[in-house]
């Protein structure tokens, strides 16, 4: 699909801050608000704009933070469908937040969230590793999120522990 320079500019603006009003975006790209609204609607209809998301720093709330894990998955691709069929089976699980086809030692990178380490472990041992095409997995638990999708989560708070030296 070919899009105009203005349409691409609107997408770039929305990618950085999807809460901006149509009027504000119109001023930024020097177009009429009605035209910008039509462009946005067109992109939503075409699924160019797939979703509008908010990044939340859960450490700053009272809610218990979910456990995130990145799982490297080695799979055996199937004739005619390659990696697509197994990737689709994996991304249909509600725990799965992202699935990527990767180059390198592993074929797929799967990002999941769970209530606890054991819940993530159960997902890997009971659901993911039991799939026919899955040959092996390596699970990496996220210890601290510093930056995610361009948003910095480290608020610059200094470590308040006392330095101990011999």
């Amino acid at each position: 699909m070919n899009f105009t320079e203005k349409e691409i500019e609107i997408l770039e603006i929305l990618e950085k801050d999807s809460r901006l009003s149509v009027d504000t975006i119109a001023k930024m790209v020097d177009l009429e608000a009605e035209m910008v609204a039509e462009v946005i609607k067109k992109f939503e209809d075409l699924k160019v704009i797939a979703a509008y998301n908010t990044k939340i720093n859960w450490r700053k709330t009272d809610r218990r933070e979910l456990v995130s894990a990145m799982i490297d998955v080695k799979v055996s691709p199937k004739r005619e469908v390659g990696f697509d069929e197994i990737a689709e089976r994996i991304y249909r699980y509600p725990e799965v937040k992202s699935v990527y086809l990767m180059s390198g030692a592993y074929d797929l990178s799967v990002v999941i969230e769970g209530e606890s380490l054991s819940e993530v472990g159960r997902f890997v041992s009971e659901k993911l590793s039991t799939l026919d095409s899955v040959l092996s997995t390596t699970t990496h638990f996220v210890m601290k999120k510093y930056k995610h999708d361009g948003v910095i989560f480290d608020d610059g708070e200094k470590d308040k522990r006392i330095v101990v030296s011999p």
Side-chain angles (χ1 to χ4, degrees), residues 63-78:
R63 182 182 147 222
R64 187 170 162 218
E65 207 173 351
L66 294 175
V67 174
S68 297
M70 296 174 182
I71 307 164
D72 298 326
V73 184
K74 185 89 172 140
V75 299
S76 176
K78 291 190 175 177

Side-chain angles (χ1 to χ4, degrees), residues 52-152:
Y52 295 96
N53 292 308
T54 302
K55 305 296 176 233
I56 309 233
N57 187 348
W58 290 108
R59 288 183 178 217
K60 297 207 176 258
T61 71
D62 293 336
R63 182 182 147 222
R64 187 170 162 218
E65 207 173 351
L66 294 175
V67 174
S68 297
M70 296 174 182
I71 307 164
D72 298 326
V73 184
K74 185 89 172 140
V75 299
S76 176
K78 291 190 175 177
R79 186 180 302 271
E80 309 284 327
V81 294
F83 297 101
D84 294 347
E85 183 180 281
I86 187 67
E88 182 177 349
R89 288 187 69 194
I90 293 168
Y91 71 61
R92 296 233 178 258
Y93 288 111
E95 303 92 334
V96 175
K97 300 302 169 198
S98 305
V99 177
Y100 305 99
L101 179 62
M102 305 297 289
S103 64
Y106 289 89
D107 303 307
L108 299 174
S109 180
V110 178
V111 179
I112 71 163
E113 287 182 345
E115 293 287 329
S116 65
L117 290 172
S118 57
E119 185 179 303
V120 171
R122 276 193 305 279
F123 171 81
V124 174
S125 64
E126 296 172 10
K127 294 179 181 177
L128 185 60
S129 65
T130 60
L131 295 173
D132 289 339
S133 298
V134 173
L135 303 174
S136 66
T137 64
T138 302
T139 303
H140 310 275
F141 288 97
V142 175
M143 306 300 285
K144 183 177 180 182
K145 190 183 298 185
Y146 293 99
K147 185 175 183 178
H148 179 72
D149 286 344
V151 177
I152 297 171

